[in-house]
Amino acid sequence: MTVHNSGSDEKRAPRGERPSTPPRDRSARWDHVLTLLSSTKRLSVSAVAEELGVSESTVRRDFMEMERAQLARRTHGGIVAVDVAYSLATVPRSADEGSAQRERVADCAAAMVEPGQIIGFNGGRTTPSPARRAVARPDIDSRDGMPGLTVVCAALNIATEAVLRPSVRTVVLGGVAEPYSFELTGPLATATMRDLWLDTMFVGTVGLDIGAGLTCNSDAEAGVTRIMIGHSRRVVGLATADKVGHRALAGICPISVLTDLVIAGPVPEDLRAHLAETSVRLHEV
């Protein structure tokens, strides 16, 4: 079903984001509306009612409640996106080959997530896209009062992605926010994480070296990530080929700690052999 907006400046829903069956419960409706709004920035009551197969009065009530939750701002006959909510470090920084590789890594990582899981992300350039894709999956829906997904965030920009989804429970670690990675560090972050447990932890890295393992530029960030790794059943490393052979300041973990490694670009034979020796599943994208 196609969205037809009433205003001349309103856009149609991207074809890949339209539901095969209209979401009926409020949580699913909000998730779908927010997915549309993140790309179109503006929606009308009539368009959403037609898209979802619900009454315009239902859509108006949804829009009122979304405005109260500061997820959108109402206009005459519709809603527009709240710019702050959709712009905090979530836009890809460039359209170069590195960006394309990160998007391929994101597709693979998001596909590993199962509904109902508790998943974690550290900060950096690689992890925001997998988080965005994971929380936007159409099969992630709350049931019987339980969240469709729980996301434990060590970075503020990832928390911003997750909290927009009503069916996703967002857990944000406390601490001091680092200005470049948006990661939360310090005693508050580590103390909070010691009481939490994850099904899957997705680990972005600045460097990936057989000897040094996964590394980053901050020992404070590495310390929080290590605790998250130690509290997870599955640990998925995320990297692009330019990270291979590079050593940054602080060690996160040896490669052998990973259960999986998702990597875009050519994989050197020595790294491939090391992954096989340490029983780390390699996902080439």
Side-chain angles (χ1 to χ4, degrees):
M1 186 181 296
T2 303
V3 166
H4 299 286
N5 292 320
S6 58
S8 59
D9 60 342
E10 291 173 341
K11 301 178 182 178
R12 294 187 177 188
R15 186 174 299 274
E17 294 176 353
R18 296 170 195 162
S20 55
T21 58
R24 297 287 181 175
D25 66 278
R26 189 183 73 163
S27 176
R29 289 197 309 270
W30 283 28
D31 274 353
H32 186 68
V33 168
L34 289 168
T35 297
L36 299 180
L37 198 59
S38 65
S39 57
T40 66
K41 306 302 182 186
R42 180 183 297 268
L43 292 169
S44 70
V45 171
S46 59
V48 173
E50 181 182 350
E51 169 82 1
L52 301 184
V54 297
S55 68
E56 291 192 5
S57 61
T58 295
V59 175
R60 288 192 187 94
R61 284 195 299 271
D62 282 347
F63 285 4
M64 288 177 63
E65 293 175 9
M66 290 171 74
E67 185 177 52
R68 289 195 196 102
Q70 299 182 3
L71 297 176
R73 180 168 57 83
R74 281 193 300 158
T75 62
H76 179 68
I79 54 171
V80 295
V82 178
D83 289 340
V84 141
Y86 291 98
S87 63
L88 176 59
T90 58
V91 179
R93 302 183 187 185
S94 66
D96 58 10
E97 174 58 23
S99 176
Q101 288 182 345
R102 287 191 293 273
E103 294 307 303
R104 296 203 299 273
V105 169
D107 285 336
C108 180
M112 295 180 178
V113 176
E114 297 179 9
Q117 282 190 324
I118 304 168
I119 62 175
F121 296 92
N122 66 341
R125 299 186 68 183
T126 309
T127 49
S129 287
R132 184 182 308 119
R133 282 166 168 72
V135 300
R137 277 181 34 176
D139 59 335
I140 301 299
D141 186 24
S142 55
R143 292 181 176 85
D144 300 324
M146 297 297 293
L149 190 68
T150 298
V151 179
V152 178
C153 307
L156 292 175
N157 55 329
I158 293 177
T160 302
E161 296 281 358
V163 77
L164 294 173
R165 305 288 175 169
S167 61
V168 175
R169 176 170 55 184
T170 305
V171 180
V172 184
L173 303 184
V176 179
E178 299 292 326
Y180 299 105
S181 66
F182 307 103
E183 287 199 63
L184 296 161
T185 62
L188 286 175
T190 55
T192 302
M193 192 59 227
R194 287 193 182 101
D195 292 327
L196 303 177
W197 299 92
L198 310 174
D199 293 309
T200 303
M201 173 63 186
F202 294 97
V203 185
T205 181
V206 174
L208 178 66
D209 181 81
I210 292 176
L214 279 67
T215 56
C216 67
N217 292 321
S218 166
D219 58 342
E221 294 174 8
V224 175
T225 304
R226 280 195 296 271
I227 295 176
M228 298 180 78
I229 289 170
H231 283 221
S232 182
R233 289 190 178 97
R234 187 179 188 184
V235 181
V236 181
L238 308 176
T240 50
D242 60 306
K243 308 291 180 65
V244 177
H246 177 66
R247 294 185 179 190
L249 171 67
I252 296 173
C253 68
I255 292 175
S256 60
V257 169
L258 304 177
T259 57
D260 303 78
L261 175 63
V262 181
I263 188 166
V267 180
E269 287 304 317
D270 59 344
L271 175 58
R272 192 183 299 274
H274 181 70
L275 294 170
E277 291 170 4
T278 53
S279 301
V280 178
R281 291 184 290 269
L282 174 63
H283 307 263
E284 299 180 74
V285 296

